């Protein structure tokens, strides 16, 4: 009887030891990127309504070589932010020709060097959230630049506006584009000659 107790005790100790070793495998942390805003760009107007400085906002989304990332702004300077994958389970972006290509408020396919500017944008009060930006880098440090012009329209009156559309006679304003010298979006084949700002129930 005494011997049985000793054997049983050893078995229990062995089971406990095995259980302590059976931990879940560590999840590999994905690539993190840092991003700055170069001059006047997205995303949010400063509190006095001026456009001299704009900041990243928590949750802002960009794509890096097709993978979605979200922003955590720097506590001391919101023109800077750290970006982590929106879906932690997603694969890290693969560099294309040794570079990472990042886009905000538009899509960009690094493989063929083309993107798409939306023909319809959603209005957001006090925000430049529709201003497309682009960055390319051989490292995980990104410097975003506006690749489109910004048009400010002032409306007077009390009626709610459901949408505002701007069109051009000869030049594309949305649709497929390439980036010239990493600075400017060039709409292909004149693209869509119109862009609309949708204001939901009215603004």
């Amino acid at each position: 009887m005494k011997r049985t107790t000793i054997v049983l005790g050893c078995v229990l100790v062995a089971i406990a030891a095995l259980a302590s070793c059976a931990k879940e495998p560590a999840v590999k942390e994905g690539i993190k990127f840092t991003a700055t805003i170069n001059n006047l760009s997205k995303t949010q107007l400063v509190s006095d309504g001026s456009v001299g400085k704009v900041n990243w906002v928590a949750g802002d989304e960009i794509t890096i070589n097709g993978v979605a990332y979200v922003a955590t702004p720097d506590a001391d300077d919101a023109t800077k932010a750290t970006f982590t994958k929106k879906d932690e389970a997603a694969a890290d972006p693969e560099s294309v020709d040794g570079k990472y290509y990042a886009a905000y408020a538009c899509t960009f396919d690094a493989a063929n060097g083309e993107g798409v500017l939306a023909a319809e944008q959603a209005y957001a009060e006090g925000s430049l959230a529709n201003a497309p930006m682009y960055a390319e880098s051989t490292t995980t440090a990104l410097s975003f630049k506006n690749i489109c012009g910004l048009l400010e329209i002032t409306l007077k009156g009390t009626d709610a506006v459901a949408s505002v559309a701007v069109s051009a006679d000869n030049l594309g304003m949305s649709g497929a584009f390439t980036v010239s010298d990493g600075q400017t979006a060039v709409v292909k084949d004149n693209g869509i000659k119109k862009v609309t700002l949708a204001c939901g129930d009215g603004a």
Side-chain angles (χ1 to χ4, degrees), residues 138-159:
T138 57
T139 71
T140 57
L142 305 169
S143 178
F144 277 89
K145 303 177 183 68
N146 275 121
I147 53 173
C148 294
L150 302 178
L151 177 64
E152 180 181 28
I153 300 174
T154 301
L155 304 176
K156 295 183 179 181
T158 57
D159 292 338

Side-chain angles (χ1 to χ4, degrees), residues 89-196:
D92 288 333
E94 296 183 6
S95 64
V96 176
D97 296 328
K99 286 188 176 182
Y100 294 109
Y101 297 85
Y104 172 83
C106 60
T107 61
F108 190 81
D109 186 343
N112 63 21
E114 294 183 8
V116 176
L117 297 170
E120 182 175 291
Q121 303 172 2
Y123 170 75
E125 185 176 359
S127 175
L128 298 177
N130 294 316
M133 293 197 302
Y134 171 86
E136 58 182 66
S137 177
T138 57
T139 71
T140 57
L142 305 169
S143 178
F144 277 89
K145 303 177 183 68
N146 275 121
I147 53 173
C148 294
L150 302 178
L151 177 64
E152 180 181 28
I153 300 174
T154 301
L155 304 176
K156 295 183 179 181
T158 57
D159 292 338
V161 176
S163 65
V164 177
V166 178
S167 60
D169 291 333
N170 300 312
L171 299 176
M173 301 191 72
S174 56
F177 73 94
T178 58
V179 180
S180 175
D181 298 325
Q183 301 283 338
T184 307
V186 179
V187 177
K188 296 184 62 180
D189 303 324
N190 289 334
I192 303 168
K193 298 178 175 65
K194 181 179 179 182
V195 63
T196 300

